[in-house]
Amino acid sequence: MTEIDEIIRIAARGDGVTADGRHVPLAAPGDRLNPEGGLIHGPHHVEPVCRHFPLCGGCQIQQVDDGALRVFVRDRVVGGLTGQGLEAGEVMPAHLSPPHSRRRVSLRSAWAGKQFQLGFSTEKSHRIIDLKQCEVMHPDLFALVEPLRAFLAPRIDRRRNVSVKLALVDQGVDLVIENWMPEGLEAHEALTDFARTQGLARLSLDDGYGPTTQWEPDPVTVTLGSVAVSYPPFGFLQATDDGEAALVHAVRTICGNATIVADLFAGLGTFALSFDAKTKVYAGEADRTAIMALKAAAGRAQRTLFAEHRDLFRRPLTSVELDRFSAAVLDPPRAGAREQVAQLAASKIPAIAYVSCNPSSFARDAKTLVAGGYRLGRVWPVGQFRWSTHVELAAEFTR
C-alpha cells in the first residue's frame, strides 16, 4: 500500500478521501484501503455508537473520533473560504456539541406493511428508520418516541404519513403533529389525555393551515439571554444549548463594547437579548410571529430594543441606516444574505459578527465584505449537529 491508499480527510458529504481523490464511504482519516477491498482501520476510526448507523439520515460520520470530527468541522469552514480565495485571520478551536444534546428535531412516519414506523429518513431516500435508539436527541425528546408511536399507530390511516416535531422549551416538550387531525370527541379526549400523561408543555396539530394548539397548561416560553420569550410551535432555535452559548460568546466577543447594535435576521432574539440592558439594539426579522414575541419579551424585561417586522431580502437596511450602529450581527438562513451584505459592505459600521449555517454561502458573502474593505479576523467553527455534515460558524469582520 502507498500513501495514496490512505484516507487523508473527510469530504463535505461524509465520505473519506484518498490523496488521489478517491471517495470511500464510512472511512476515517488514517484508514487505508485493503488491496482485497474494504478498509484497514486507522487510529481515528471508532465503532459507531448507534445501531441505526449508517442507514439513518440523522448522522453521516459516526465512524470518526472526536479529534477527526473537530478537524472536519474546522476544514468545512476553512475550505469554503479557500474556495473564494479568502483566509481567516485566526481559526478558533472547533466546538462540538456532546451526545444527547439536540433540543429540536423533526421526525416522519410511514407504514411498512402492518408496522407503523416513526423516525428519521434514510440518507437520500424517503425510507423511514423506525427509531429504537438515538445518540443525538436530548433524552426528554427521545423518551416521547415510543409513546408517540403507540398513540399514533391505531389512529393513523395507512395511506397517511405524519410529521412529528419536538422542541425542548422552558416548560418541557413542545410537540407539533402535522398532516393529521383527530375526528370525534373520543379522539380529541384521547389526545388531551396523551398530552397530560406525557407532561407536555404544549401539543399542537397542523393539517396544512398552520398549527392549532390543543393543549397548553401554561404559556410556552424559551429563555434567551435570561429573558423568557413566547415560543411559537416549533419555532427556530439553535440546535443545542451549548452550541447557542458558543455562538453567543463569539458574537459578544466580536461586538465588544458596542453601545448600539443592529441584529439582522434576529428571530426570537438569541443574539439581541444576549446584550446587557444598557446596549441599544435594533432587531430586524421577516417572521412576524417571532419579531412580535421578541418585542413583547424585550418590553417586559425593560430592554432598550426596537423590533421591526422587515424582510431583509427585499428591503435590507441601507448603508446610510447602518452607519448609525457601532456593530452588527448577521444570522441569515442557509442561502446567505446577498442583498443585506452588499449594503453592509458599503457601510462604515466598525464590526460585523456573521453567524452562518452554510460555509459556502458564508464564504460568498465574506468575499463581498472583504471587497468592500472589511478584514476577516477570527472565525469560530461550531459543530452543533454532532456526527453530521452540517456545520455552523461565527466570523469577525472589522474595518
Side-chain angles (χ1 to χ4, degrees), residues 54-115:
L55 292 178
C56 179
C59 297
Q60 293 83 44
I61 43 178
Q62 278 196 11
Q63 76 278 7
V64 305
D65 65 11
D66 281 6
L69 192 55
R70 287 190 177 89
V71 171
F72 169 79
V73 172
R74 181 188 188 279
D75 286 353
R76 287 277 284 117
V77 175
V78 173
L81 291 171
T82 301
Q84 294 289 346
L86 300 175
E87 184 177 349
E90 181 180 6
V91 181
M92 308 300 286
H95 173 87
L96 287 184
S97 289
H100 305 293
S101 61
R102 186 89 59 81
R103 60 175 175 176
R104 184 177 180 271
V105 297
S106 181
L107 308 176
R108 295 176 57 241
S109 79
W111 283 96
K114 296 182 179 181
Q115 183 182 8

Side-chain angles (χ1 to χ4, degrees), residues 86-345:
L86 300 175
E87 184 177 349
E90 181 180 6
V91 181
M92 308 300 286
H95 173 87
L96 287 184
S97 289
H100 305 293
S101 61
R102 186 89 59 81
R103 60 175 175 176
R104 184 177 180 271
V105 297
S106 181
L107 308 176
R108 295 176 57 241
S109 79
W111 283 96
K114 296 182 179 181
Q115 183 182 8
F116 179 79
Q117 299 179 328
L118 184 64
F120 294 115
S121 300
T122 57
E123 192 76 12
K124 299 178 183 178
S125 84
H126 296 293
R127 177 186 171 189
I128 301 299
I129 296 297
D130 197 30
L131 280 185
K132 303 298 183 182
Q133 178 184 359
C134 185
E135 298 299 310
V136 296
M137 290 171 62
H138 190 284
D140 289 354
L141 300 186
F142 184 72
L144 279 168
V145 174
E146 184 57 39
L148 274 166
R149 187 185 290 113
F151 176 80
L152 291 171
R155 296 175 171 86
I156 300 296
D157 187 281
R158 294 182 185 273
R159 295 167 295 180
R160 182 183 296 273
N161 296 327
V162 303
S163 293
V164 171
K165 297 181 174 180
L166 302 163
L168 201 59
V169 296
D170 292 339
Q171 293 75 21
V173 177
D174 178 42
L175 167 64
V176 181
I177 303 174
E178 294 181 341
N179 198 33
W180 177 66
M181 188 66 70
E183 297 181 2
L185 178 61
E186 183 179 351
H188 278 86
E189 289 178 341
L191 191 68
T192 301
D193 287 343
F194 175 82
R196 181 185 296 111
T197 301
Q198 299 301 323
L200 296 180
R202 178 172 57 200
L203 191 155
S204 304
L205 301 178
D206 187 348
D207 59 352
Y209 298 96
T212 301
T213 298
Q214 306 289 313
W215 168 266
E216 187 177 11
D218 299 299
V220 170
T221 61
V222 290
T223 298
L224 302 170
S226 77
V227 177
V229 183
S230 178
Y231 182 68
F234 202 65
F236 177 78
L237 288 174
Q238 294 294 338
T240 64
D241 280 324
D242 65 282
E244 178 184 289
L247 292 170
V248 166
H249 169 75
V251 166
R252 292 298 308 275
T253 300
I254 295 165
C255 293
N257 297 320
T259 56
I260 177 167
V261 177
D263 186 3
L264 309 175
F265 303 94
L268 291 168
T270 298
F271 302 111
L273 295 173
S274 71
F275 294 95
D276 59 46
K278 296 179 181 178
T279 305
K280 297 178 180 179
V281 178
Y282 163 86
E285 170 59 49
D287 185 326
R288 183 177 180 83
T289 301
I291 199 65
M292 291 299 103
L294 171 55
K295 182 177 181 179
R300 289 191 299 269
Q302 298 184 330
R303 295 297 185 93
T304 309
L305 185 148
F306 176 74
E308 182 181 19
H309 178 223
R310 182 164 176 166
D311 186 338
L312 296 171
F313 290 110
R314 296 182 178 181
R315 194 163 65 93
L317 263 67
T318 66
S319 59
V320 174
E321 291 175 297
L322 289 164
D323 284 346
R324 73 186 67 173
F325 297 101
S326 47
V329 182
L330 186 67
D331 183 18
R334 288 189 61 78
R338 191 189 301 268
E339 298 81 3
Q340 186 60 79
V341 165
Q343 294 298 322
L344 282 163

